[in-house]
Amino acid sequence: MPIAYLCGMNEKILILDFGSQYTQLIARRIRELNIYCEIVPYNKIPTPLDDSIKAVILSGSPFSVTDEYALKIDLSAIVGQRPVLGVCYGAQLIANHYGGEVQRSLKREYGKAKLSRIDREDALFKGIGLGSQVWMSHGDTIMAIPEHFELLAGTDSIEVAAFKAAEGQFAAPVYCLQFHPEVTHSLDGKQLLQNFAYDIAGCTGDWTPASFVEHTIEELQQQIGQEHVLMALSGGVDSTVAAMLLHGAIGHQLTCFFVDNGLLRKGEFEQVLHSYEDMGLNIKGIDAKNRFYKALAGVSNPEEKRKIIGRAFIEVFEEEAAKVAEIEWLGQGTIYPDVIESVSVHGPSVTIKSHHNVGGLPEKLQLKIIEPLRMLFKDEVRRVGAALGIPQQILGRHPFPGPGLGIRILGDITPEKVALLQEADAIFINNLKKFDLYDKVWQAGTILLPIHSVGVMGDERTYEQAIALRAVNSTDGMTAEWSNLPYEFLATVSSEIINHVKGINRVVYDISTKPPATIEWE
């Protein structure tokens, strides 16, 4: 059984994914209640349900239950077995199956609404008052609920906003919502989910970072035993937290590599390596700058650069791994969004970029994989890292792309361009910290543009390069807003870069959102 499927999870909620864009949000909200949950495709219901499953939630979906090829499940496998909460499509599926009436809406119900009728005596709506704002997003409408079901809530325009199976109808409660409690626009959504999880499903909420650390270390010890693990570290949050969990479990049976590919930030290799050594990790730093520069010479295509960087990393890793005896496992910092994407209703994303983690290494090295974080979201990884005592300068680091500055230099890569970008980038990042803005930005970086522009310095005209500053705010990187940084700050950074970095005479600020733009330029 893969590590972290157990993790001290004496109780969990199962979320069946019917393809909704909000499915991960349901999981996040449940976990914020200190309750472990897992997302599985709608057609992968474990049978029988194991004793740790306290409830089942059916997600929304872009599909319609009235379609010929609607996503269907055997509801008898969960209804009556455990408390069930159907959200949007899940509610419509239950209504349709048990004899209610579901129709395609003449227009899509989308946006904010207020509950104008609520059965406040029901446990699901404890602490939620009339007028509570909810978020609608559905193309089907439940016109009539099934016989032996009870109406719980409605809005001025939606008669059936919430309903449940009458008491005694099934051996376990069944609740249905035609709105999305998981989105922040549903202002009492977290309270509603808490009512369902605690009062209706009987969860206790004992899943905390400390308990995760304790149980994961125990399971790693059992799974690995006396064998040895090899792991590549990037200096980022995920790989660092994964390494510290492994270190806590097996100590010096873990060997770590930190590769300098010549595309890191200024001084990053030395700084991060020292931090790892101070944390007690058995770490080896590998200077491979020239190897990467040689492989990348003359290459401008972004995807080709990514492939070259990934291939060169694998080659370096293989060579160094051959020098380490008795390695049976490869550690990786895979997190839950990667896992969900690989088993989603729609299958693996077709837009995955090359060079994700260390793809290809397990097969080449014939190692077993260990992924201590494979069931955690990014924010949970940081909380676990704090419980492990990892320094804030590592936990609070902005995300940094695997190919590093290789995709922040538009066009071909040379050591001279890297040095130029490193200097400008260091000024940007250092000033974010100086102005107390670093922790208010989710990710920031500097991009070297493949253009020259005319400038004036003193009495001389210049023809030098331009750079773009990029800073965004996001929760998971799927969407992002450009950071509204103060003009005074931007003026300071621009002036300092132009005055101190010879070769740059123009600085611009990227104010594009994702979508339609991406966070990185390549």
Side-chain angles (χ1 to χ4, degrees):
M1 181 172 290
I3 195 68
Y5 274 105
L6 300 176
C7 280
M9 294 147 196
N10 299 317
E11 59 179 29
K12 67 184 174 187
I13 290 178
L14 195 67
I15 300 172
L16 301 186
D17 180 17
F18 288 89
S20 170
Q21 60 179 322
Y22 299 134
T23 302
Q24 285 195 37
L25 276 180
I26 300 175
R28 286 175 177 270
R29 299 296 173 255
I30 295 297
R31 290 188 180 192
E32 286 170 2
L33 300 172
N34 291 335
I35 299 167
Y36 178 70
C37 63
E38 285 181 24
I39 298 172
V40 299
Y42 74 98
N43 55 358
K44 301 292 184 182
I45 303 172
T47 51
L49 298 177
D50 65 72
D51 292 340
S52 69
I53 297 175
K54 304 289 284 185
V56 180
I57 297 177
L58 281 62
S59 84
S61 175
F63 302 100
S64 167
V65 298
T66 64
D67 289 343
E68 180 181 356
Y69 300 106
L71 307 182
K72 299 288 180 68
I73 62 170
D74 177 10
L75 284 169
S76 65
I78 55 171
V79 171
Q81 310 297 318
R82 299 289 190 277
V84 170
L85 176 64
V87 176
C88 198
Y89 182 89
Q92 294 152 6
L93 188 68
I94 291 171
N96 185 67
H97 179 81
Y98 289 104
E101 183 182 354
V102 182
Q103 294 182 0
R104 292 295 288 171
S105 303
L106 294 178
K107 64 175 184 176
R108 183 175 176 82
E109 299 288 348
Y110 184 83
K112 299 173 185 176
K114 293 185 182 297
L115 297 179
S116 55
R117 299 178 303 282
I118 296 178
D119 182 350
R120 299 185 66 184
E121 298 300 315
D122 193 90
L124 189 67
F125 287 95
K126 182 182 72 175
I128 299 174
L130 282 174
S132 178
Q133 178 180 293
V134 297
W135 183 258
M136 296 288 182
S137 180
H138 55 91
D140 284 352
T141 296
I142 299 169
M143 306 302 294
I145 62 176
E147 188 178 359
H148 305 303
F149 279 69
E150 300 174 356
L151 189 62
L152 293 178
T155 72
D156 288 340
S157 59
I158 302 293
E159 175 68 21
V160 181
F163 61 102
K164 72 171 184 177
E167 191 170 345
Q169 174 72 3
F170 301 107
V174 176
Y175 282 86
C176 298
L177 305 172
Q178 203 162 210
F179 58 88
H180 289 271
E182 68 274 21
V183 302
T184 55
H185 299 302
S186 291
L187 300 184
D188 294 310
K190 187 173 181 179
Q191 179 65 51
L192 187 148
L193 291 172
Q194 179 175 304
N195 292 343
F196 175 76
Y198 281 84
D199 299 338
I200 296 168
C203 294
T204 60
D206 62 355
W207 192 66
T208 63
S211 67
F212 178 88
V213 169
E214 178 184 352
H215 292 290
T216 300
I217 286 177
E218 289 177 3
E219 290 166 15
L220 287 168
Q221 289 170 336
Q222 294 172 10
Q223 190 169 2
I224 298 169
Q226 298 302 309
E227 295 181 332
H228 290 73
V229 180
L230 185 62
M231 186 168 184
L233 302 186
S234 67
V237 176
D238 300 339
S239 66
T240 301
V241 174
M244 287 304 289
L245 282 168
L246 286 162
H247 178 70
I250 61 173
H252 273 63
Q253 291 168 235
L254 171 68
T255 299
C256 299
F257 291 160
F258 183 38
V259 178
D260 184 358
N261 59 9
L263 304 170
L264 302 174
R265 284 182 154 138
K266 182 181 179 181
E268 187 172 36
F269 181 66
E270 294 77 15
Q271 293 166 10
V272 172
L273 192 60
H274 291 153
S275 294
Y276 283 147
E277 290 169 347
D278 291 341
M279 290 158 58
L281 290 176
N282 178 23
I283 180 85
K284 178 182 180 182
I286 301 166
D287 183 351
K289 291 193 295 291
N290 292 333
R291 181 175 193 149
F292 281 82
Y293 291 153
K294 183 178 179 180
L296 288 164
V299 178
S300 296
N301 180 274
E303 185 62 11
E304 187 62 25
K305 286 194 288 187
R306 287 177 180 273
K307 290 178 179 177
I308 289 171
I309 292 168
R311 188 162 56 243
F313 180 86
I314 289 175
E315 290 170 358
V316 171
F317 197 96
E318 280 185 291
E319 291 172 10
E320 294 296 330
K323 303 173 187 177
V324 183
E326 301 179 326
I327 296 294
E328 294 84 12
W329 295 87
L330 178 69
Q332 290 194 326
T334 309
I335 61 175
Y336 201 28
D338 302 322
V339 176
I340 295 170
E341 185 174 63
S342 69
V343 295
S344 73
V345 171
H346 304 291
S349 168
V350 297
T351 58
I352 296 174
K353 295 174 181 174
S354 301
H355 188 57
H356 173 70
N357 285 346
V358 284
L361 276 176
E363 295 83 0
K364 283 180 170 289
L365 300 178
Q366 297 184 323
L367 298 175
K368 297 174 284 187
I369 299 177
I370 194 82
E371 299 170 313
L373 306 178
R374 72 186 316 271
M375 303 307 286
L376 296 186
F377 288 107
K378 190 79 169 186
D379 52 338
E380 294 169 335
V381 173
R382 286 194 167 95
R383 291 200 290 272
V384 167
L388 286 164
I390 294 174
Q392 181 57 32
Q393 65 261 33
I394 289 182
L395 287 183
R397 289 185 71 208
H398 290 176
F400 190 64
L405 301 183
I407 57 168
R408 290 183 179 174
I409 296 174
L410 306 192
D412 67 317
I413 297 168
T414 66
E416 293 74 24
K417 288 182 181 179
V418 172
L420 196 70
L421 184 57
Q422 285 177 331
E423 291 298 328
D425 184 74
I427 290 171
F428 185 30
I429 299 301
N430 290 339
N431 272 290
L432 281 170
K433 294 174 180 177
K434 179 180 175 181
F435 278 72
D436 195 27
L437 293 169
Y438 186 84
D439 293 332
K440 298 173 184 175
V441 168
W442 189 74
Q443 182 173 344
T446 308
I447 298 92
L448 184 65
L449 305 181
I451 58 174
H452 287 69
S453 70
V454 174
V456 178
M457 289 189 177
D459 295 324
E460 297 180 3
R461 293 174 68 81
T462 61
Y463 191 63
E464 296 179 334
Q465 291 196 257
I467 63 159
L469 307 179
R470 181 73 159 142
V472 299
N473 286 86
S474 178
T475 55
D476 53 16
M478 300 301 292
T479 61
E481 290 286 340
W482 61 276
S483 302
N484 192 0
L485 298 176
Y487 291 147
E488 178 188 0
F489 166 79
L490 292 172
T492 299
V493 172
S494 175
S495 177
E496 193 170 332
I497 289 174
I498 291 172
N499 288 329
H500 291 87
V501 184
K502 185 174 176 56
I504 294 174
N505 68 355
R506 191 174 298 272
V507 175
V508 299
Y509 186 51
D510 182 349
I511 57 170
S512 310
T513 61
K514 177 185 178 181
T518 54
I519 294 176
E520 300 294 342
W521 281 43
E522 287 191 342

